[in-house]
Amino acid sequence: MSRPSVLVITALGDVTADLVVGELHERDVPVVRLDPATDFPEPARLTARFGAGGFAGELTTASRDVDLARVRSVYWRRPTPYGDPRQAETPGRRFGIEQARAGYTGVLTALPDVLHVNHPIRNRAADSKPVQLAVAGRLGFLVAPTLITNRVEDARAFVREHGQVVYKPLHGVHLPGADGRNRTVWVSPVHADELDASVALCPHLFQARVPKVADIRLAAVGDGQFATRIDTDGDHVDWRQDQRLVHCTPVPVPASVAESVRAYLSSFGLVFGAFDFALDAEGRWWFLECNPNGQWAFVGAETNGAIACGLADVLQKGASE
């Protein structure tokens, strides 16, 4: 009988997933990598059976045959979105895309007695910034004053009250530029005289700017927490905008922060989370957000190795032990 496999659901070229896959290979744990939107219907094939006898299913990839009833865990990373934006969408094509999403991803999320890191439903629930801020404040994190509004007069009053304020998208989006390439909307300073009637078009998130001396990225997996201080050359509100300017240093996690991180993961039912904090001159960690499927491969070899081992530990163990 074949040994239980770990499914890694991600796109080709995912460096973060590569580190975990490499660690699992070192441990001789069977790994099957799959990108549903591109691997189906060729070369992959999937069959699932549901009924009184329970669940049974088979997955065939270009190199592996997998008994879906014997999968030990699933690592959900960054699979390719369904649908090719370069192709014209017809009703038939839209039907096929929706059936693929509901069928392929649906079966993989329905595997019984399987550990998901993290289950996509959990990821979606934990990806809401308003919910994150509400939970973070309740669990004892420091949270800067924040306003979500589409009322321009309220936005202007908030900026005047707090002086230094930044704007953040409520959800990560990529906007096409004139050259057709996608552009990211970064965190940016905002001033009261810049706010006009366009604020009414949709909700906007404004937050008092923390007088930070550095940023912190904390990756939490299972019982492990791995924090990295991020220093940036120059004064940049959003360090992600040019990672060539950042310097990463491992740092210990304060006990109060560690306790709140554990409570946060438990609140959302997450196994993994990538937390962002602003570090002020008094050493206080201000909660900014938690990406339930965030990146960490950039933080340095020592910490990368520890995070990869932590993820490999929980994936190897699965849900049944």
Side-chain angles (χ1 to χ4, degrees):
M1 181 179 292
S2 62
R3 292 179 295 153
S5 300
V6 174
L7 289 184
V8 177
I9 312 297
T10 197
L12 185 67
D14 181 356
V15 176
T16 298
D18 290 343
L19 293 170
V20 180
V21 170
E23 179 63 28
L24 289 168
H25 281 320
E26 288 289 327
R27 303 177 183 203
D28 196 30
V29 175
V31 177
V32 179
R33 189 166 181 155
L34 183 70
D35 187 10
T38 61
D39 290 345
F40 291 113
E42 290 287 350
R45 289 282 191 270
L46 178 146
T47 296
R49 303 173 183 86
F50 301 86
F55 171 86
E58 301 85 40
L59 168 67
T60 302
T61 71
S63 59
R64 302 290 178 90
D65 295 319
V66 183
D67 180 351
L68 290 176
R70 286 182 52 75
V71 170
R72 72 172 82 193
S73 56
V74 185
Y75 182 31
W76 290 93
R77 265 292 299 161
R78 299 288 177 90
T80 302
Y82 288 94
D84 187 342
R86 296 170 297 182
Q87 296 185 16
E89 186 172 292
T90 64
R93 178 168 170 74
R94 169 49 51 190
F95 177 83
I97 290 171
E98 293 302 329
Q99 297 309 300
R101 180 183 292 111
Y104 299 138
T105 301
V107 168
L108 295 173
T109 58
L111 301 181
D113 303 320
V114 168
L115 174 73
H116 295 264
V117 184
N118 296 301
H119 197 289
I121 292 176
R122 302 282 191 183
N123 278 346
R124 285 195 295 272
D127 199 36
S128 164
K129 281 191 171 63
V131 175
Q132 288 189 16
L133 292 168
V135 172
R138 176 170 58 82
L139 295 180
F141 287 111
L142 288 173
V143 178
T146 303
L147 175 73
I148 297 174
T149 188
N150 73 331
R151 292 167 57 94
V152 64
E153 59 270 28
D154 289 349
R156 287 173 178 161
F158 183 82
V159 175
R160 293 190 181 105
E161 177 185 0
H162 295 284
Q164 297 290 318
V165 171
V166 295
Y167 167 80
K168 300 179 179 183
L170 278 159
H171 191 268
V173 294
H174 298 285
L175 301 178
D179 58 0
R181 297 176 58 190
N182 282 336
R183 301 291 192 272
T184 300
V185 180
W186 303 105
V187 177
S188 57
V190 64
H191 305 283
D193 57 7
E194 298 174 325
L195 300 171
D196 57 28
S198 63
V199 170
L201 296 176
C202 65
H204 302 269
L205 189 155
F206 303 97
Q207 190 169 71
R209 185 173 179 178
V210 176
K212 66 181 181 180
V213 296
D215 288 272
I216 301 288
R217 168 62 62 90
L218 185 154
V221 54
D223 294 326
Q225 297 185 20
F226 311 94
T228 300
R229 173 174 170 148
I230 302 171
D231 291 282
T232 309
D233 292 337
D235 183 20
H236 299 276
V237 175
D238 194 331
W239 60 266
R240 301 169 301 172
Q241 196 163 355
D242 190 346
Q243 293 189 25
R244 296 171 300 178
L245 302 177
V246 306
H247 308 278
C248 297
T249 309
V251 292
V253 182
S256 61
V257 173
E259 181 179 354
S260 294
V261 165
R262 287 190 291 270
Y264 187 99
L265 293 180
S266 177
S267 177
F268 285 105
L270 301 175
V271 180
F272 172 87
F275 293 77
D276 284 322
F277 299 91
L279 178 67
D280 68 17
E282 297 179 25
R284 295 177 298 182
W285 292 33
W286 292 81
F287 176 92
L288 299 178
E289 65 177 328
C290 174
N291 187 332
N293 198 8
Q295 306 281 27
W296 47 267
F298 65 92
V299 299
E302 178 184 348
T303 306
N304 282 349
I307 299 169
C309 283
L311 282 162
D313 285 343
V314 297
L315 292 167
Q316 182 176 5
K317 182 179 179 180
S320 61
E321 298 182 16

